[in-house]
Amino acid sequence: MLEILGIAVLAWIAFYYVVFRPPRMRKERVGGIDPVQAATRMKDHFDETAHPQDLLEYRPFVDAAADLSRSERTDAELLTYANGANPIVACMALEALAGREEDEAPTEELLGCLNLPSWWARFFALRALDARHDEPIAPRVLTQVDDTWSQPLLAGVMAEFLERRNGKGDTPSVQPLLGSISSTRFNALDRLVKASRSPLLDQVRAELRDAARERVDVDLLAGIGLLRGPEDGPEDSRP
């Protein structure tokens, strides 16, 4: 009888804690760590890192990212942190996203993080894109880069990402996407390819050369009036 009574009391306490606990306690449980406070404690170490990879060997960073990943914060909330002004918080949030195993990845939002001001955060954006996608993603990543990806550190980070994706059968062929990207994106990718020594980009180099030749031909024909678009209307046949 006493055992049954004890079980009933424990069940009631558990029920009370879940349903009636104060909002402040509920918030701490749902949110996990405070990423801004955690980032403040890491700042000195963060400022001394020579490469974003160094953060993965720093236990406080790894633990904080794992805590955020396990928390009840949504992917959208973590992406808000990723796009915020604090680069340490951004890195933590993106690594937290990489650690999640949900079937549906926030692909567009992660691609949008590739050109964040913090180069360290870009490294973690690539890690999240890699971890959350079994399907090919390398071509979309390459056609998203801006001019700064031709810098040696970022070009090396991209080469490492492509190596990992290649091991998953994700080849970086961009030819199907080149017709849909702007000249700015096209030129940025061209600069990255020229700056990189990765043999995995050999195919992309050839695709860019062919596409650039086609673009020149189109511009040339348009310049001498031999190429007309539908908006030009019918050709004037008057003498």
Side-chain angles (χ1 to χ4, degrees):
M1 185 67 179
L2 289 176
E3 291 181 358
I4 295 174
L5 181 61
I7 293 172
V9 170
L10 290 174
W12 167 250
I13 292 172
F15 175 78
Y16 180 88
Y17 177 78
V18 170
V19 176
F20 298 108
R21 66 187 177 213
R24 184 177 179 183
M25 291 177 66
R26 190 179 303 122
K27 180 179 179 182
E28 288 177 356
R29 174 189 172 276
V30 170
I33 64 162
D34 182 328
V36 177
Q37 290 182 6
T40 300
R41 293 191 292 269
M42 298 180 202
K43 186 176 186 307
D44 289 344
H45 182 88
F46 181 87
D47 290 343
E48 293 175 358
T49 56
H51 190 281
Q53 180 77 33
D54 296 343
L55 289 173
L56 296 175
E57 301 173 3
Y58 182 50
R59 178 53 57 184
F61 175 86
V62 173
D63 290 345
D67 186 280
L68 276 179
S69 186
R70 291 190 301 266
S71 77
E72 294 180 24
R73 283 187 168 96
T74 64
D75 282 2
E77 289 175 301
L78 293 179
L79 284 161
T80 298
Y81 281 125
N83 285 279
N86 189 317
I88 308 175
V89 173
C91 292
M92 276 193 292
L94 289 164
E95 183 65 7
L97 285 165
R100 291 191 164 174
E101 298 180 355
E102 285 84 351
D103 291 335
E104 186 173 352
T107 303
E108 299 303 324
E109 292 82 357
L110 287 173
L111 286 170
C113 293
L114 288 174
N115 299 321
L116 287 171
S118 167
W119 289 9
W120 269 227
R122 297 185 191 191
F123 168 86
F124 287 98
L126 284 179
R127 280 178 58 82
L129 283 161
D130 180 32
R132 296 289 292 271
H133 291 85
D134 293 326
E135 69 277 13
I137 193 66
R140 293 204 62 197
V141 166
L142 287 170
T143 53
Q144 190 72 21
V145 300
D146 67 13
D147 281 346
T148 56
W149 279 92
S150 60
Q151 296 297 319
L153 186 146
L154 288 176
V157 165
M158 182 63 74
E160 292 168 2
F161 167 78
L162 294 175
E163 286 282 355
R164 293 195 301 272
R165 295 307 300 177
N166 186 61
K168 300 177 181 181
D170 185 4
T171 57
S173 173
V174 297
Q175 191 277 330
L177 300 177
L178 292 179
S180 61
I181 65 173
S182 67
S183 296
T184 300
R185 291 276 189 246
F186 185 96
N187 292 333
L189 176 55
D190 187 51
R191 279 188 277 273
L192 166 61
V193 168
K194 289 176 179 175
S196 177
R197 297 179 180 179
S198 173
L200 292 173
L201 288 173
D202 288 346
Q203 181 178 353
V204 177
R205 290 185 182 91
E207 291 172 345
L208 287 173
R209 280 196 301 270
D210 292 343
R213 190 177 302 113
E214 291 176 5
R215 289 189 178 212
V216 170
D217 291 344
V218 168
D219 291 342
L220 178 62
L221 292 173
I224 62 177
L226 295 180
L227 183 70
R228 304 179 63 82
E231 70 279 4
D232 295 330
E235 185 174 357
D236 191 347
S237 59
R238 290 176 298 173

